Amino acid sequence: MSLHARRGPLAGGWFNRLVAQWRTAAWLTVVWVMLWGDLSWGNVLAGVLLASLLITFMPLPSIATSGTVRPWPLLVLISRFVADLVVASFQVSMQAFRFRHTPHGAVVGVRLRNPSDIYMTITAELSSLVPGSLVIEAHRLTGMLYLHVLDLDAAGGADKVRQDTLDLESRVLRAFASNDELKAAGLYHHPGEEPEPAGAAPSGGRGTGARGPAGRGAPTERRTDRGEGQR
């Protein structure tokens, strides 16, 4: 998917499409050079040609976005992600030495504040890159992410997993979203102005639980939704 305003197919011809999606072409060129592992004029020109062909004959769907990049929140997002990556890697590695501990895995549903494709994708990717959690399903229309947690007890419970995911989304929004999107998510307001409440999941939903065989070393699976805590 390319990060540009939505346009009709073949709008303005292939040349205008290349000009409008120059960032996508540049990124594809960088990926091509990195795959070859050699920065040379030949590889750069080949990457530009290949990127131009891909954009012209196999255009990616566009994502409507009105956000902006904020350097300081972006630095906070990256720093916190690296810290979470280190801590989670240590915690997961220690599971191998806890011989008498049976991890209780679970699938936890989280309703995001902003269901935009780009912000949901970034949040899901960052969540999956941290060891111990993996996004297994995402619903675009409802803004729901379903994460498989390796050990729900060690993670602090279903509510803690949801709050950590929402905190990650808030850092993503502060780094990339526009002021209007931050207001809609309840993350930005002017002094003296009451912030709008963030989107909440419906409280009437009930999740289904499935408990696996309770043997030594065999993980137990539980499924929770946003309206239900740990059972």
Side-chain angles (χ1 to χ4, degrees):
M1 293 179 289
S2 55
L3 308 181
H4 305 280
R6 295 187 183 273
R7 295 175 296 274
L10 299 178
W14 64 270
F15 180 77
N16 289 337
R17 176 185 297 169
L18 287 177
V19 173
Q21 299 193 21
W22 66 268
R23 289 174 291 182
T24 302
W27 173 246
L28 291 174
T29 302
V30 171
V31 172
W32 175 262
V33 174
M34 292 177 63
L35 288 174
W36 280 98
D38 181 23
L39 181 59
S40 64
W41 285 109
N43 284 338
V44 172
L45 293 177
V48 171
L49 177 60
L50 182 60
S52 301
L53 293 176
L54 289 175
I55 292 175
T56 301
F57 297 104
M58 290 180 288
L60 299 174
S62 299
I63 300 177
T65 177
S66 58
T68 182
V69 177
R70 297 180 177 86
W72 177 249
L74 178 60
L75 180 61
V76 173
L77 172 65
I78 296 175
S79 302
R80 180 59 186 272
F81 170 72
V82 173
D84 291 342
L85 191 65
V86 173
V87 173
S89 298
F90 175 77
Q91 292 175 341
V92 171
S93 63
M94 292 303 296
Q95 293 284 346
F97 299 98
R98 301 177 65 184
F99 302 107
R100 297 185 178 181
H101 174 70
T102 300
H104 299 283
V107 175
V108 181
V110 184
R111 185 184 296 277
L112 301 181
R113 298 181 179 91
N114 189 313
S116 171
D117 290 345
I118 182 62
Y119 306 133
M120 174 180 284
T121 300
I122 297 175
T123 303
E125 290 294 336
L126 294 179
S127 297
S128 296
L129 288 173
V130 175
S133 63
L134 178 67
V135 175
I136 60 175
E137 189 175 355
H139 290 172
R140 296 177 57 196
L141 297 181
T142 61
M144 289 290 297
L145 286 183
Y146 292 92
L147 299 91
H148 180 272
V149 183
L150 177 63
D151 192 341
L152 188 62
D153 297 330
D159 291 337
K160 181 64 164 56
V161 172
R162 295 188 186 102
Q163 188 58 51
D164 289 344
T165 305
L166 291 176
D167 290 343
L168 171 60
E169 184 206 16
S170 69
R171 291 192 292 271
V172 171
L173 292 176
R174 293 181 191 279
F176 300 110
S178 64
N179 290 340
D180 291 337
E181 290 170 327
L182 289 175
K183 287 182 179 179
L187 300 175
Y188 172 87
H189 64 283
H190 292 290
E193 177 184 350
E194 291 294 332
E196 299 182 17
S203 58
R206 296 184 59 85
T208 58
R211 186 175 294 274
R216 181 180 298 273
T220 303
E221 295 293 335
R222 295 196 298 273
R223 184 180 181 94
T224 63
D225 62 12
R226 186 171 172 80
E228 179 181 61
Q230 182 179 352
R231 299 178 69 98

PDB file of all heavy atoms in Angstrom, residues 79-105:
ATOM      1  N   SER A  79      12.340   4.606  20.789  1.00  0.00           N
ATOM      2  CA  SER A  79      13.055   4.277  22.021  1.00  0.00           C
ATOM      3  C   SER A  79      12.262   3.291  22.870  1.00  0.00           C
ATOM      4  O   SER A  79      12.817   2.309  23.385  1.00  0.00           O
ATOM      5  CB  SER A  79      13.337   5.551  22.822  1.00  0.00           C
ATOM      6  OG  SER A  79      14.098   6.467  22.062  1.00  0.00           O
ATOM      7  N   ARG A  80      10.974   3.529  23.008  1.00  0.00           N
ATOM      8  CA  ARG A  80      10.150   2.631  23.815  1.00  0.00           C
ATOM      9  C   ARG A  80      10.042   1.261  23.149  1.00  0.00           C
ATOM     10  O   ARG A  80      10.022   0.230  23.844  1.00  0.00           O
ATOM     11  CB  ARG A  80       8.766   3.241  24.009  1.00  0.00           C
ATOM     12  CG  ARG A  80       7.835   2.379  24.839  1.00  0.00           C
ATOM     13  CD  ARG A  80       8.379   2.110  26.231  1.00  0.00           C
ATOM     14  NE  ARG A  80       7.532   1.170  26.944  1.00  0.00           N
ATOM     15  CZ  ARG A  80       6.482   1.533  27.678  1.00  0.00           C
ATOM     16  NH1 ARG A  80       6.169   2.831  27.789  1.00  0.00           N
ATOM     17  NH2 ARG A  80       5.777   0.636  28.299  1.00  0.00           N
ATOM     18  N   PHE A  81       9.971   1.219  21.829  1.00  0.00           N
ATOM     19  CA  PHE A  81       9.914  -0.063  21.134  1.00  0.00           C
ATOM     20  C   PHE A  81      11.187  -0.872  21.364  1.00  0.00           C
ATOM     21  O   PHE A  81      11.130  -2.085  21.623  1.00  0.00           O
ATOM     22  CB  PHE A  81       9.695   0.160  19.639  1.00  0.00           C
ATOM     23  CG  PHE A  81       9.866  -1.089  18.822  1.00  0.00           C
ATOM     24  CD1 PHE A  81       8.932  -2.112  18.866  1.00  0.00           C
ATOM     25  CD2 PHE A  81      10.985  -1.242  18.009  1.00  0.00           C
ATOM     26  CE1 PHE A  81       9.099  -3.268  18.123  1.00  0.00           C
ATOM     27  CE2 PHE A  81      11.160  -2.392  17.262  1.00  0.00           C
ATOM     28  CZ  PHE A  81      10.216  -3.409  17.313  1.00  0.00           C
ATOM     29  N   VAL A  82      12.342  -0.214  21.278  1.00  0.00           N
ATOM     30  CA  VAL A  82      13.613  -0.916  21.519  1.00  0.00           C
ATOM     31  C   VAL A  82      13.674  -1.432  22.948  1.00  0.00           C
ATOM     32  O   VAL A  82      14.096  -2.580  23.197  1.00  0.00           O
ATOM     33  CB  VAL A  82      14.799   0.019  21.211  1.00  0.00           C
ATOM     34  CG1 VAL A  82      16.114  -0.629  21.621  1.00  0.00           C
ATOM     35  CG2 VAL A  82      14.830   0.370  19.727  1.00  0.00           C
ATOM     36  N   ALA A  83      13.227  -0.614  23.901  1.00  0.00           N
ATOM     37  CA  ALA A  83      13.228  -1.051  25.304  1.00  0.00           C
ATOM     38  C   ALA A  83      12.301  -2.243  25.504  1.00  0.00           C
ATOM     39  O   ALA A  83      12.665  -3.228  26.177  1.00  0.00           O
ATOM     40  CB  ALA A  83      12.817   0.109  26.208  1.00  0.00           C
ATOM     41  N   ASP A  84      11.094  -2.189  24.931  1.00  0.00           N
ATOM     42  CA  ASP A  84      10.159  -3.313  25.044  1.00  0.00           C
ATOM     43  C   ASP A  84      10.723  -4.560  24.383  1.00  0.00           C
ATOM     44  O   ASP A  84      10.517  -5.683  24.872  1.00  0.00           O
ATOM     45  CB  ASP A  84       8.817  -2.945  24.409  1.00  0.00           C
ATOM     46  CG  ASP A  84       8.073  -1.882  25.208  1.00  0.00           C
ATOM     47  OD1 ASP A  84       8.411  -1.689  26.386  1.00  0.00           O
ATOM     48  OD2 ASP A  84       7.160  -1.254  24.642  1.00  0.00           O
ATOM     49  N   LEU A  85      11.438  -4.367  23.280  1.00  0.00           N
ATOM     50  CA  LEU A  85      12.019  -5.501  22.561  1.00  0.00           C
ATOM     51  C   LEU A  85      13.055  -6.213  23.422  1.00  0.00           C
ATOM     52  O   LEU A  85      13.076  -7.455  23.503  1.00  0.00           O
ATOM     53  CB  LEU A  85      12.647  -5.016  21.254  1.00  0.00           C
ATOM     54  CG  LEU A  85      13.074  -6.067  20.233  1.00  0.00           C
ATOM     55  CD1 LEU A  85      11.858  -6.823  19.709  1.00  0.00           C
ATOM     56  CD2 LEU A  85      13.811  -5.413  19.077  1.00  0.00           C
ATOM     57  N   VAL A  86      13.905  -5.442  24.098  1.00  0.00           N
ATOM     58  CA  VAL A  86      14.947  -6.031  24.941  1.00  0.00           C
ATOM     59  C   VAL A  86      14.332  -6.741  26.142  1.00  0.00           C
ATOM     60  O   VAL A  86      14.671  -7.891  26.457  1.00  0.00           O
ATOM     61  CB  VAL A  86      15.945  -4.949  25.389  1.00  0.00           C
ATOM     62  CG1 VAL A  86      16.930  -5.513  26.394  1.00  0.00           C
ATOM     63  CG2 VAL A  86      16.686  -4.382  24.178  1.00  0.00           C
ATOM     64  N   VAL A  87      13.395  -6.073  26.822  1.00  0.00           N
ATOM     65  CA  VAL A  87      12.785  -6.655  28.023  1.00  0.00           C
ATOM     66  C   VAL A  87      11.998  -7.914  27.674  1.00  0.00           C
ATOM     67  O   VAL A  87      12.112  -8.953  28.349  1.00  0.00           O
ATOM     68  CB  VAL A  87      11.876  -5.623  28.710  1.00  0.00           C
ATOM     69  CG1 VAL A  87      11.099  -6.263  29.856  1.00  0.00           C
ATOM     70  CG2 VAL A  87      12.695  -4.453  29.219  1.00  0.00           C
ATOM     71  N   ALA A  88      11.198  -7.861  26.603  1.00  0.00           N
ATOM     72  CA  ALA A  88      10.389  -9.015  26.223  1.00  0.00           C
ATOM     73  C   ALA A  88      11.266 -10.180  25.771  1.00  0.00           C
ATOM     74  O   ALA A  88      10.941 -11.346  26.037  1.00  0.00           O
ATOM     75  CB  ALA A  88       9.411  -8.625  25.112  1.00  0.00           C
ATOM     76  N   SER A  89      12.365  -9.901  25.089  1.00  0.00           N
ATOM     77  CA  SER A  89      13.269 -10.971  24.663  1.00  0.00           C
ATOM     78  C   SER A  89      13.844 -11.698  25.872  1.00  0.00           C
ATOM     79  O   SER A  89      13.942 -12.937  25.883  1.00  0.00           O
ATOM     80  CB  SER A  89      14.399 -10.388  23.815  1.00  0.00           C
ATOM     81  OG  SER A  89      13.894  -9.786  22.645  1.00  0.00           O
ATOM     82  N   PHE A  90      14.204 -10.946  26.914  1.00  0.00           N
ATOM     83  CA  PHE A  90      14.727 -11.562  28.132  1.00  0.00           C
ATOM     84  C   PHE A  90      13.652 -12.388  28.828  1.00  0.00           C
ATOM     85  O   PHE A  90      13.907 -13.513  29.277  1.00  0.00           O
ATOM     86  CB  PHE A  90      15.263 -10.480  29.070  1.00  0.00           C
ATOM     87  CG  PHE A  90      15.725 -10.998  30.400  1.00  0.00           C
ATOM     88  CD1 PHE A  90      16.946 -11.637  30.527  1.00  0.00           C
ATOM     89  CD2 PHE A  90      14.923 -10.847  31.521  1.00  0.00           C
ATOM     90  CE1 PHE A  90      17.371 -12.123  31.755  1.00  0.00           C
ATOM     91  CE2 PHE A  90      15.340 -11.332  32.750  1.00  0.00           C
ATOM     92  CZ  PHE A  90      16.566 -11.971  32.865  1.00  0.00           C
ATOM     93  N   GLN A  91      12.428 -11.850  28.906  1.00  0.00           N
ATOM     94  CA  GLN A  91      11.354 -12.559  29.584  1.00  0.00           C
ATOM     95  C   GLN A  91      10.997 -13.856  28.869  1.00  0.00           C
ATOM     96  O   GLN A  91      10.774 -14.891  29.512  1.00  0.00           O
ATOM     97  CB  GLN A  91      10.122 -11.651  29.691  1.00  0.00           C
ATOM     98  CG  GLN A  91      10.322 -10.470  30.620  1.00  0.00           C
ATOM     99  CD  GLN A  91       9.132  -9.527  30.614  1.00  0.00           C
ATOM    100  OE1 GLN A  91       8.310  -9.541  29.693  1.00  0.00           O
ATOM    101  NE2 GLN A  91       9.037  -8.688  31.649  1.00  0.00           N
ATOM    102  N   VAL A  92      10.948 -13.819  27.545  1.00  0.00           N
ATOM    103  CA  VAL A  92      10.604 -15.032  26.792  1.00  0.00           C
ATOM    104  C   VAL A  92      11.715 -16.065  26.899  1.00  0.00           C
ATOM    105  O   VAL A  92      11.459 -17.271  27.023  1.00  0.00           O
ATOM    106  CB  VAL A  92      10.325 -14.672  25.317  1.00  0.00           C
ATOM    107  CG1 VAL A  92      10.176 -15.933  24.469  1.00  0.00           C
ATOM    108  CG2 VAL A  92       9.064 -13.827  25.211  1.00  0.00           C
ATOM    109  N   SER A  93      12.966 -15.621  26.861  1.00  0.00           N
ATOM    110  CA  SER A  93      14.079 -16.569  26.986  1.00  0.00           C
ATOM    111  C   SER A  93      14.084 -17.253  28.344  1.00  0.00           C
ATOM    112  O   SER A  93      14.483 -18.426  28.467  1.00  0.00           O
ATOM    113  CB  SER A  93      15.408 -15.852  26.758  1.00  0.00           C
ATOM    114  OG  SER A  93      15.639 -14.863  27.751  1.00  0.00           O
ATOM    115  N   MET A  94      13.636 -16.563  29.400  1.00  0.00           N
ATOM    116  CA  MET A  94      13.594 -17.152  30.724  1.00  0.00           C
ATOM    117  C   MET A  94      12.528 -18.235  30.848  1.00  0.00           C
ATOM    118  O   MET A  94      12.579 -19.066  31.755  1.00  0.00           O
ATOM    119  CB  MET A  94      13.342 -16.068  31.778  1.00  0.00           C
ATOM    120  CG  MET A  94      14.507 -15.099  31.947  1.00  0.00           C
ATOM    121  SD  MET A  94      16.055 -15.942  32.381  1.00  0.00           S
ATOM    122  CE  MET A  94      15.617 -16.621  33.990  1.00  0.00           C
ATOM    123  N   GLN A  95      11.542 -18.240  29.923  1.00  0.00           N
ATOM    124  CA  GLN A  95      10.525 -19.284  29.955  1.00  0.00           C
ATOM    125  C   GLN A  95      11.141 -20.665  29.769  1.00  0.00           C
ATOM    126  O   GLN A  95      10.633 -21.660  30.305  1.00  0.00           O
ATOM    127  CB  GLN A  95       9.488 -19.029  28.853  1.00  0.00           C
ATOM    128  CG  GLN A  95       8.640 -17.798  29.035  1.00  0.00           C
ATOM    129  CD  GLN A  95       7.558 -17.970  30.082  1.00  0.00           C
ATOM    130  OE1 GLN A  95       7.258 -19.073  30.517  1.00  0.00           O
ATOM    131  NE2 GLN A  95       6.970 -16.856  30.497  1.00  0.00           N
ATOM    132  N   ALA A  96      12.238 -20.752  29.042  1.00  0.00           N
ATOM    133  CA  ALA A  96      12.874 -22.044  28.794  1.00  0.00           C
ATOM    134  C   ALA A  96      13.495 -22.631  30.056  1.00  0.00           C
ATOM    135  O   ALA A  96      13.723 -23.848  30.126  1.00  0.00           O
ATOM    136  CB  ALA A  96      13.933 -21.901  27.703  1.00  0.00           C
ATOM    137  N   PHE A  97      13.770 -21.803  31.065  1.00  0.00           N
ATOM    138  CA  PHE A  97      14.415 -22.277  32.292  1.00  0.00           C
ATOM    139  C   PHE A  97      13.413 -22.458  33.440  1.00  0.00           C
ATOM    140  O   PHE A  97      13.818 -22.855  34.524  1.00  0.00           O
ATOM    141  CB  PHE A  97      15.509 -21.286  32.715  1.00  0.00           C
ATOM    142  CG  PHE A  97      16.591 -21.121  31.691  1.00  0.00           C
ATOM    143  CD1 PHE A  97      16.566 -20.047  30.807  1.00  0.00           C
ATOM    144  CD2 PHE A  97      17.625 -22.039  31.578  1.00  0.00           C
ATOM    145  CE1 PHE A  97      17.551 -19.883  29.850  1.00  0.00           C
ATOM    146  CE2 PHE A  97      18.612 -21.885  30.632  1.00  0.00           C
ATOM    147  CZ  PHE A  97      18.582 -20.811  29.762  1.00  0.00           C
ATOM    148  N   ARG A  98      12.153 -22.167  33.174  1.00  0.00           N
ATOM    149  CA  ARG A  98      11.126 -22.373  34.209  1.00  0.00           C
ATOM    150  C   ARG A  98      10.439 -23.713  33.928  1.00  0.00           C
ATOM    151  O   ARG A  98       9.366 -23.778  33.344  1.00  0.00           O
ATOM    152  CB  ARG A  98      10.128 -21.214  34.188  1.00  0.00           C
ATOM    153  CG  ARG A  98      10.779 -19.860  34.425  1.00  0.00           C
ATOM    154  CD  ARG A  98       9.759 -18.739  34.315  1.00  0.00           C
ATOM    155  NE  ARG A  98       8.755 -18.834  35.375  1.00  0.00           N
ATOM    156  CZ  ARG A  98       7.701 -18.014  35.461  1.00  0.00           C
ATOM    157  NH1 ARG A  98       7.538 -17.060  34.546  1.00  0.00           N
ATOM    158  NH2 ARG A  98       6.824 -18.154  36.432  1.00  0.00           N
ATOM    159  N   PHE A  99      11.093 -24.807  34.378  1.00  0.00           N
ATOM    160  CA  PHE A  99      10.666 -26.147  33.990  1.00  0.00           C
ATOM    161  C   PHE A  99       9.317 -26.524  34.602  1.00  0.00           C
ATOM    162  O   PHE A  99       8.576 -27.304  34.028  1.00  0.00           O
ATOM    163  CB  PHE A  99      11.736 -27.167  34.410  1.00  0.00           C
ATOM    164  CG  PHE A  99      13.089 -26.887  33.808  1.00  0.00           C
ATOM    165  CD1 PHE A  99      14.119 -26.392  34.584  1.00  0.00           C
ATOM    166  CD2 PHE A  99      13.310 -27.098  32.454  1.00  0.00           C
ATOM    167  CE1 PHE A  99      15.361 -26.136  34.028  1.00  0.00           C
ATOM    168  CE2 PHE A  99      14.545 -26.837  31.896  1.00  0.00           C
ATOM    169  CZ  PHE A  99      15.581 -26.352  32.680  1.00  0.00           C
ATOM    170  N   ARG A 100       8.999 -26.005  35.766  1.00  0.00           N
ATOM    171  CA  ARG A 100       7.756 -26.365  36.432  1.00  0.00           C
ATOM    172  C   ARG A 100       6.619 -25.389  36.149  1.00  0.00           C
ATOM    173  O   ARG A 100       5.552 -25.491  36.731  1.00  0.00           O
ATOM    174  CB  ARG A 100       7.982 -26.446  37.949  1.00  0.00           C
ATOM    175  CG  ARG A 100       8.963 -27.535  38.363  1.00  0.00           C
ATOM    176  CD  ARG A 100       9.041 -27.643  39.875  1.00  0.00           C
ATOM    177  NE  ARG A 100       9.943 -28.717  40.276  1.00  0.00           N
ATOM    178  CZ  ARG A 100      10.185 -29.060  41.542  1.00  0.00           C
ATOM    179  NH1 ARG A 100       9.573 -28.394  42.516  1.00  0.00           N
ATOM    180  NH2 ARG A 100      11.016 -30.041  41.820  1.00  0.00           N
ATOM    181  N   HIS A 101       6.886 -24.441  35.277  1.00  0.00           N
ATOM    182  CA  HIS A 101       5.870 -23.431  34.962  1.00  0.00           C
ATOM    183  C   HIS A 101       5.179 -23.784  33.652  1.00  0.00           C
ATOM    184  O   HIS A 101       5.831 -24.079  32.650  1.00  0.00           O
ATOM    185  CB  HIS A 101       6.502 -22.045  34.846  1.00  0.00           C
ATOM    186  CG  HIS A 101       5.536 -20.991  34.394  1.00  0.00           C
ATOM    187  ND1 HIS A 101       4.504 -20.533  35.185  1.00  0.00           N
ATOM    188  CD2 HIS A 101       5.441 -20.308  33.217  1.00  0.00           C
ATOM    189  CE1 HIS A 101       3.824 -19.618  34.532  1.00  0.00           C
ATOM    190  NE2 HIS A 101       4.381 -19.456  33.342  1.00  0.00           N
ATOM    191  N   THR A 102       3.842 -23.787  33.683  1.00  0.00           N
ATOM    192  CA  THR A 102       3.060 -24.025  32.477  1.00  0.00           C
ATOM    193  C   THR A 102       2.512 -22.698  31.968  1.00  0.00           C
ATOM    194  O   THR A 102       1.672 -22.081  32.642  1.00  0.00           O
ATOM    195  CB  THR A 102       1.886 -24.975  32.756  1.00  0.00           C
ATOM    196  OG1 THR A 102       2.392 -26.217  33.237  1.00  0.00           O
ATOM    197  CG2 THR A 102       1.077 -25.218  31.485  1.00  0.00           C
ATOM    198  N   PRO A 103       2.985 -22.212  30.829  1.00  0.00           N
ATOM    199  CA  PRO A 103       2.482 -20.929  30.320  1.00  0.00           C
ATOM    200  C   PRO A 103       1.029 -21.030  29.892  1.00  0.00           C
ATOM    201  O   PRO A 103       0.630 -22.003  29.250  1.00  0.00           O
ATOM    202  CB  PRO A 103       3.398 -20.634  29.128  1.00  0.00           C
ATOM    203  CG  PRO A 103       3.889 -21.969  28.690  1.00  0.00           C
ATOM    204  CD  PRO A 103       3.993 -22.813  29.932  1.00  0.00           C
ATOM    205  N   HIS A 104       0.241 -20.062  30.259  1.00  0.00           N
ATOM    206  CA  HIS A 104      -1.181 -20.013  29.904  1.00  0.00           C
ATOM    207  C   HIS A 104      -1.355 -18.993  28.779  1.00  0.00           C
ATOM    208  O   HIS A 104      -1.452 -17.791  29.026  1.00  0.00           O
ATOM    209  CB  HIS A 104      -2.031 -19.649  31.116  1.00  0.00           C
ATOM    210  CG  HIS A 104      -1.934 -20.631  32.242  1.00  0.00           C
ATOM    211  ND1 HIS A 104      -2.583 -21.853  32.233  1.00  0.00           N
ATOM    212  CD2 HIS A 104      -1.231 -20.590  33.399  1.00  0.00           C
ATOM    213  CE1 HIS A 104      -2.301 -22.513  33.343  1.00  0.00           C
ATOM    214  NE2 HIS A 104      -1.479 -21.775  34.069  1.00  0.00           N
ATOM    215  N   GLY A 105      -1.364 -19.480  27.557  1.00  0.00           N
ATOM    216  CA  GLY A 105      -1.535 -18.592  26.414  1.00  0.00           C
ATOM    217  C   GLY A 105      -2.984 -18.151  26.278  1.00  0.00           C
ATOM    218  O   GLY A 105      -3.909 -18.769  26.813  1.00  0.00           O
TER     219      GLY A 105
END
